[in-house]
Amino acid sequence: MEAFLALPPERRIELLLPFVNDNRVETLRNVLAKRTRRITIALENIFHSQNASAVVRSCECFGIQDLTVIENSNPFLASNGVARGAFKWLTYHRFGSEEFNTPAAYSDLRQRGYTIVAASPHPGHDISLYDIDVAKGPVAVVFGAEKVGLSRWAMDNADVRMVIPMCGLTESLNISASAAITLSHLRQEVDRKLTPEERMLPEDDRREIFSHWLLASIRDAHNVLTRIL
């Protein structure tokens, strides 16, 4: 695998294309053309595997390429049954080497150009979900652990705090529902307000991801790599 990844993406694609049927290749190219990094999700300390899996699946379904995982006291565990294979199509940014990893994750998100939006279940915060303007720049929405929400540090150090407006007596939504609603709305805004060039991945990124997707589409990838390298 290391030898394969050391190759330029163009060479990886050239080597793998003969092992993937044309219909699959066309599907991968069409999906990749709709991928965006204008929106991303970060999850702080999620511990229910079903919720983690549901967020992964929502990211994939709405064409979000990146997911940041912050593992402070809880490892990020997800059930592939719920995610329906979505894991292998996303790019993960994992932070779990320290006792408290949220500052490192925030620093990484800002270096990648994101405005950090902390999601809160409590009314009275800075803005509503529907006030986020994706035309102003890339947005990273951060969700916290079930029941307790985001850490105080995560809330205090975000660029803005966001709430999803609700009309009922119940104060908050499940995290997987909150993430799905957020992604659905923001993805519509990205498609409505941005040009294809603004929302699409850069060509170099598309080639890199496409090479990984081709590999993920090959059933016996390890043996194939052994044969061709």
Side-chain angles (χ1 to χ4, degrees):
M1 180 63 75
E2 289 183 6
F4 173 75
L5 294 177
L7 297 172
E10 295 84 354
R11 179 57 178 157
R12 291 182 230 154
I13 293 168
E14 180 184 1
L15 289 170
L16 295 177
L17 276 175
F19 298 93
V20 183
N21 70 63
D22 292 344
N23 287 338
R24 184 62 170 177
V25 170
E26 183 179 4
T27 297
L28 293 179
R29 291 191 189 279
N30 289 339
V31 170
L32 188 54
K34 298 174 184 175
R35 275 296 203 261
T36 189
R37 283 188 159 136
R38 194 73 177 205
I39 316 159
T40 194
I41 292 290
L43 300 177
E44 184 191 48
N45 227 27
I46 303 300
F47 57 87
H48 285 314
S49 63
Q50 284 194 321
N51 286 334
S53 303
V55 174
V56 169
R57 187 174 180 183
S58 291
C59 285
E60 206 290 312
C61 287
F62 289 110
I64 310 305
Q65 183 58 35
D66 297 89
L67 176 64
T68 293
V69 175
I70 306 168
E71 300 171 299
N72 290 331
S73 56
N74 300 316
F76 185 77
L77 302 173
S79 165
N80 198 40
V82 176
R84 302 260 178 175
F87 295 99
K88 58 189 177 183
W89 312 119
L90 303 185
T91 301
Y92 294 89
H93 305 264
R94 300 186 79 131
F95 297 86
S97 61
E98 306 294 333
E99 183 176 350
F100 187 63
N101 299 281
T102 308
Y106 272 29
S107 176
D108 177 73
L109 287 166
R110 289 195 170 104
Q111 287 177 9
R112 289 191 277 137
Y114 287 101
T115 294
I116 297 175
V117 178
S120 170
H122 307 294
H125 282 299
D126 299 346
I127 62 170
S128 154
L129 164 64
Y130 307 113
D131 293 327
I132 295 176
D133 187 356
V134 296
K136 290 183 177 180
V139 173
V141 183
V142 190
F143 293 94
E146 300 84 348
K147 296 185 179 180
V148 298
L150 288 168
S151 65
R152 174 48 54 190
W153 192 97
M155 291 294 294
D156 290 345
N157 289 276
D159 298 306
V160 66
R161 285 152 291 277
M162 173 205 86
V163 66
I164 298 174
M166 285 175 279
C167 305
L169 296 172
T170 305
E171 184 181 56
S172 64
L173 293 163
N174 178 282
I175 180 177
S176 60
S178 296
I181 290 168
T182 298
L183 288 174
S184 176
H185 171 71
L186 293 181
R187 180 66 214 222
Q188 289 182 59
E189 289 292 282
V190 163
D191 291 341
R192 184 171 68 88
K193 291 185 175 181
L194 304 182
T195 66
E197 291 74 21
E198 289 174 322
R199 63 179 180 258
M200 288 173 63
L201 303 179
E203 180 61 32
D204 287 348
D205 289 358
R206 293 204 300 273
R207 282 195 294 266
E208 179 70 28
I209 293 166
F210 186 55
S211 73
H212 288 279
W213 284 10
L214 287 173
L215 187 62
S217 299
I218 298 173
R219 183 176 302 233
D220 196 5
H222 177 76
N223 286 338
V224 168
L225 291 180
T226 302
R227 286 162 51 195
I228 64 179
L229 293 179

